[in-house]
Amino acid sequence: MGLLVIVEIGLRSLFGFGNPLIYMGDEQIGYLLAPNQRTRRFGNRIEINEYSMRGSPINKTPTPSGLRVLLLGDSIANGGWWTDQTNTISAMMMRSLASLTHSNYQEVEVLNASANSWGPRNELAYLEKFGTFNAQAVVLLINTDDLFATPPTSLPVGRDRNYPDSKPPLALVEVWQRYIAKQQPIPEMKAVQNEAGDRVGINLEAIGKIQALTRQSNSQFLLVMTPLLREIGEPGPRDYEIKARQRLNDFTKTQQIDYIDFLPIFNSTTNPQALYHDHIHLNLQGNKCVSELMERSLLQRLGNIPLTQSY
């Protein structure tokens, strides 16, 4: 019994087990992180505010002399358990923008509305529900897989080990459920995953609607896409990804969407593997690269520095 107590304490104090982030279902969004949470996972601090964003509490309306940017995305924007709160893309951008524009803005905020496995339709639904928070700029950060994202659904909440809807009674229970016990299938997910029709076209339409909402609120809109690690170098993206990427390129030109594709940028680096935590998610160095280019692009579009470089 004493050994179990020691193991329980160790799992909680060293790894943060027993206090996972919990999710809640939403009819339109599918799911989102439950508001007002704080935890540490593997030593990394994670905070979720009252609007289910990864970040500190905010005022619904920004200060009149402030700069507010709204970042929408999936686990790449969110950073997950492997990224400390201070090392997320949004936090890095906020610190840098605050130092660069201190004389222009009284306060700088980069809001981070994101969740694991969100796609353009989840992000659109979040924007439709909560609005732009009066942000001067809205950034949609996607990855190649998001072009094929399925429709929003709340089916995983409370049924998939990665989307718990309640805290486990013990850290030992969470370890058992997450790493040892077999994941029970969710039969209803097959219909969602086998969505018929032009999925790429549907997601492009959602991106277009996000752009329209930002225009209605007089916000700048920036679309950013990061590649999968296997797309970098040879042989490059697969045929179906090449076609989807071309459709996205054509769409952004037709819709006059400001767009940064990080595939050629990462291809030009000497060691792109050093930017990744795994096959899709970025590490600290990757977050830094993305945040710096996004920041420069935003400053150009907001009129704070001359337009001297295109991406």
Side-chain angles (χ1 to χ4, degrees):
M1 187 65 174
L3 178 59
L4 288 177
V5 172
I6 293 173
V7 172
E8 175 72 19
I9 293 172
L11 289 173
R12 286 183 176 274
S13 60
L14 296 177
F15 304 106
F17 287 116
N19 187 30
L21 292 176
I22 61 173
Y23 289 78
M24 53 187 286
D26 183 274
E27 189 174 345
Q28 283 75 41
I29 301 171
Y31 58 86
L32 63 170
L33 287 157
N36 302 313
Q37 301 185 73
R38 286 187 179 185
T39 189
R40 281 187 181 272
R41 302 294 278 186
F42 296 90
N44 295 315
R45 183 173 61 89
I46 303 172
E47 183 176 3
I48 308 300
N49 70 14
E50 67 272 41
Y51 295 105
S52 298
M53 300 173 176
R54 183 158 189 189
S56 304
I58 64 166
N59 294 318
K60 178 72 174 178
T61 304
T63 57
S65 57
L67 170 63
R68 175 172 281 184
V69 177
L70 174 60
L71 173 64
L72 296 166
D74 58 8
S75 52
I76 294 174
N78 186 273
W81 58 263
W82 58 91
T83 309
D84 186 79
Q85 194 80 10
T86 59
N87 294 330
T88 60
I89 289 173
S90 53
M92 296 173 83
M93 285 181 63
M94 185 159 60
R95 287 196 303 273
S96 183
L97 284 167
S99 64
L100 288 174
T101 62
H102 179 73
S103 59
N104 295 332
Y105 299 105
Q106 182 179 343
E107 182 181 24
V108 175
E109 300 171 286
V110 181
L111 313 183
N112 186 333
S114 58
N116 293 348
S117 297
W118 268 6
R121 285 176 275 182
N122 303 90
E123 291 137 2
L124 170 61
Y126 183 94
L127 201 61
E128 289 174 333
K129 180 170 184 173
F130 292 104
T132 64
F133 296 89
N134 298 108
Q136 287 99 317
V138 175
V139 181
L140 177 59
L141 175 59
I142 63 173
N143 70 82
T144 309
D145 277 351
D146 290 336
L147 296 175
F148 311 94
T150 53
T153 177
S154 60
L155 286 172
V157 178
R159 300 172 69 181
D160 185 309
R161 68 182 71 185
N162 296 308
Y163 301 90
D165 60 356
S166 62
K167 305 286 187 183
L170 297 168
L172 284 163
V173 171
E174 184 187 356
V175 171
W176 170 265
Q177 293 173 338
R178 190 174 288 268
Y179 297 106
I180 302 173
K182 185 178 179 181
Q183 171 67 55
Q184 295 300 310
I186 306 174
E188 304 96 314
M189 284 296 295
K190 287 185 179 179
V192 177
Q193 294 165 347
N194 295 328
E195 178 188 23
D198 178 12
R199 194 179 296 175
V200 173
I202 294 171
N203 284 310
L204 291 179
E205 182 182 359
I207 293 172
K209 289 180 179 178
I210 291 173
Q211 179 198 25
L213 287 175
T214 61
R215 282 181 171 175
Q216 289 174 16
S217 60
N218 296 316
S219 302
Q220 295 288 325
F221 178 58
L222 174 64
L223 175 65
V224 180
M225 188 165 77
T226 58
L228 308 176
L229 179 56
R230 64 166 172 76
E231 292 184 271
I232 302 172
E234 297 296 337
R238 295 168 179 168
D239 288 345
Y240 68 90
E241 292 167 336
I242 292 173
K243 292 176 182 177
R245 282 178 159 278
Q246 187 58 54
R247 289 183 65 182
L248 177 61
N249 279 323
D250 294 343
F251 180 79
T252 57
K253 290 176 182 176
T254 301
Q255 296 293 117
Q256 297 182 318
I257 294 174
D258 292 324
Y259 171 48
I260 302 175
D261 180 5
F262 271 92
L263 179 57
I265 296 168
F266 284 2
N267 264 326
S268 68
T269 62
T270 55
N271 183 20
Q273 290 84 0
L275 302 172
Y276 282 80
H277 168 74
D278 54 28
H279 74 287
I280 187 170
H281 301 107
L282 303 173
N283 58 19
L284 177 61
Q285 189 61 34
N287 283 352
K288 183 179 179 182
C289 177
V290 169
S291 66
E292 286 176 352
L293 288 180
M294 283 169 51
E295 171 196 321
R296 181 171 178 82
S297 182
L298 284 175
L299 288 174
Q300 291 168 349
R301 285 153 180 80
L302 291 169
N304 285 276
I305 60 176
L307 183 59
T308 57
Q309 181 177 353
S310 59
Y311 302 101

